[in-house]
Amino acid sequence: MRKILRRLSAFAASVLAAVCGPALAAGDTIKVGMLVEMSGTFASFGQQISTGAKAYMKRNGDTVAGKKIELIIRDTTGPAPDVSKRLAQELIVQDDVDFIVGFGLTPNALAVAPIATEAKKPTIIMNAATSIITTKSPYIARVSFTLAQVTEPMAQWAYKNGLRKVYTAVADYGPGHDAETTFKNAFTKLGGEIVGEVRIPLKNPEFGPFVQRIKDAKPQALFVFVPAGELAIGFMKAYTERGLGAAGIKLITTGDVVDDGVIEALGDDVLGVVSTHHYSVAHDSPENAAFLASYAQINSTQRPNFMAVGGYDGMAAIYEVVRKLNGKIDGDKAMEVLRGLKWTSPRGPILIDPETRDIVQNVYVREAKKVGGKIYNVEFETFPAVKDPGK
Ligand code: PHB
């Protein structure tokens, strides 16, 4: 009798192994490989994005469909396409990740697109904002924004509010070029005039001479995009030191320049600056309150910014994919889930466009103001459900 039982259980074990073997062998973990800038000038990008992702996991637990979600963070060190490519390959080959996520900077996202295609890895852009990125691989979806998406409303708001002669200044790479072209097209179409334009290098920019040239041209307003963080601080310092505000040149920007992460460091000179963007810490909603509380549990000294929301929402998208696919990740099926996915983000309602895999969202017009002694971008007008123009 005992012998029969032993034989039966051995048989049962072999049947179980045959049925469940591959799933068990694949592991009970979903690996999310994150490529972000954790050191150098752009270190705040990786800090914000990874903290945002961890905030989502803190709030929602780290188990989905019976699988443990593991975040593996790698430092791209800055705008470094070759480093990003190598790290993406390592994440796929050595770590066997199920998703690739992150990307503060456009050049790093573009470098990884062919690898995502070849490996069929669902790749989620949590910040990089040049329009073209999502066209570079069918395995890329974006949960952040595009410069074109937030710039067109700025041009429309500027014209509607009486501005006619504007100078543009942008960082000299993908997102800056998109911002420049979009502002020019939208503003001149309405009847406005671009009285001068300048492109500022991404690496080691010297803002002083550029800003002086703009002051001498005496435009009515200056439209600016530079990447958030250190560069925004450098630009605002030159703007104030060279007295553009005092000379009556109105400053209008994308939200990157007055980013929540550094707005307090910009000081009172930033008060009154009008910007357009998809997220402000001051956004009044229960989803944002939950995000802020969760972020503060991980980092209580740093104010989150739009990149942190990108990290948070990127994880929300991944959790949904894992749930819908019941823990069995397949590149094509994952993209099918991502296309058309919609939910309420800390920034408001968002949708991944089923055709372009790019994000559709509200763009808010905000003014830098003091609230309770602290500086915030206070939203006062909404352009609802904006798509990336030209897609
Ligand atoms: C980008 O490189 O795409 C980028 C970086 C920082 C920003 C916006 C866009 O604030």
Side-chain angles (χ1 to χ4, degrees):
M1 181 68 187
R2 225 185 261 158
K3 215 171 178 183
I4 292 171
L5 272 180
R6 226 182 294 141
R7 273 208 199 127
L8 260 180
S9 67
F11 175 67
S14 69
V15 167
L16 254 181
V19 173
C20 309
L24 289 176
D28 288 334
T29 304
I30 301 285
K31 291 186 183 175
V32 179
M34 177 177 273
L35 290 175
V36 279
E37 302 77 12
M38 295 299 286
S39 57
T41 309
F42 301 98
S44 67
F45 293 16
Q47 198 55 46
Q48 288 281 3
I49 293 172
S50 60
T51 307
K54 287 178 194 166
Y56 189 86
M57 296 172 75
K58 180 118 196 142
R59 181 166 159 73
N60 295 279
D62 63 357
T63 305
V64 187
K67 302 264 182 168
K68 196 169 165 63
I69 309 290
E70 184 190 345
L71 191 58
I72 304 171
I73 301 170
R74 296 284 182 263
D75 179 12
T76 60
T77 71
D82 289 341
V83 176
S84 303
K85 233 188 253 176
R86 177 173 54 75
L87 292 174
Q89 268 150 355
E90 282 174 17
L91 282 172
I92 292 167
V93 175
Q94 289 167 23
D95 296 296
D96 194 23
V97 296
D98 299 283
F99 295 90
I100 299 179
V101 304
F103 306 102
L105 288 159
T106 287
N108 299 343
L110 288 176
V112 170
I115 299 173
T117 306
E118 201 189 308
K120 299 188 180 217
K121 276 298 153 202
T123 298
I124 296 184
I125 307 293
M126 292 171 160
N127 183 64
T130 304
S131 289
I132 204 170
I133 293 171
T134 41
T135 70
K136 293 295 180 189
S137 170
Y139 293 91
I140 289 181
R142 174 156 40 201
V143 297
S144 51
F145 74 115
T146 74
L147 259 303
Q149 183 180 48
V150 297
T151 297
E152 195 168 86
M154 185 77 258
Q156 289 165 351
W157 184 88
Y159 189 86
K160 201 175 109 199
N161 286 274
L163 298 176
R164 295 293 180 268
K165 289 177 191 296
V166 175
Y167 205 110
T168 64
V170 299
D172 191 6
Y173 78 123
H177 301 167
D178 280 1
E180 182 188 87
T181 309
T182 306
F183 192 91
K184 191 197 289 186
N185 288 347
F187 196 59
T188 55
K189 196 171 145 203
L190 291 167
E193 189 188 342
I194 303 297
V195 295
E197 48 188 53
V198 65
R199 292 180 174 186
I200 302 164
L202 184 63
K203 286 188 184 166
N204 308 316
E206 277 281 343
F207 289 107
F210 292 113
V211 168
Q212 187 61 45
R213 211 188 307 159
I214 296 162
K215 186 182 180 191
D216 295 343
K218 299 192 171 65
Q220 216 178 351
L222 168 61
F223 166 75
V224 181
F225 160 75
V226 291
E230 302 267 322
L231 267 63
I233 293 176
F235 167 77
M236 275 308 294
K237 195 161 170 271
Y239 176 86
T240 308
E241 276 173 8
R242 305 263 168 165
L244 272 72
I249 300 169
K250 188 170 173 58
L251 183 58
I252 52 176
T253 73
T254 65
D256 311 81
V257 184
V258 289
D259 150 47
D260 279 306
V262 296
I263 197 164
E264 285 276 277
L266 300 180
D268 287 359
D269 295 316
V270 80
L271 295 173
V273 173
V274 172
S275 61
T276 43
H277 228 210
H278 53 300
Y279 177 72
S280 164
V281 154
H283 185 72
D284 186 13
S285 74
E287 292 79 13
N288 190 36
F291 161 69
L292 293 175
S294 188
Y295 188 97
Q297 278 186 290
I298 294 169
N299 186 335
S300 58
T301 55
Q302 160 87 43
R303 200 196 272 195
N305 71 357
F306 63 96
M307 296 195 195
V309 173
Y312 189 84
D313 283 330
M315 289 311 288
I318 285 176
Y319 274 39
E320 190 56 19
V321 170
V322 176
R323 251 190 307 268
K324 288 247 167 75
L325 299 184
N326 202 20
K328 293 187 189 73
I329 308 305
D330 164 274
D332 292 306
K333 286 185 187 152
M335 297 316 294
E336 227 174 275
V337 175
L338 288 170
R339 282 194 291 265
L341 198 63
K342 44 170 132 171
W343 69 100
T344 307
S345 154
R347 67 190 105 165
I350 59 175
L351 158 75
I352 311 258
D353 188 313
E355 263 99 58
T356 63
R357 292 161 277 102
D358 222 330
I359 189 158
V360 182
Q361 62 189 335
N362 293 346
V363 174
Y364 305 94
V365 190
R366 315 94 51 85
E367 182 179 345
K369 278 187 175 170
K370 274 216 171 129
V371 181
K374 292 200 168 149
I375 308 174
Y376 291 97
N377 293 303
V378 178
E379 296 166 349
F380 64 90
E381 204 173 311
T382 305
F383 286 75
V386 181
K387 278 189 177 197
D388 182 42
K391 274 211 182 113

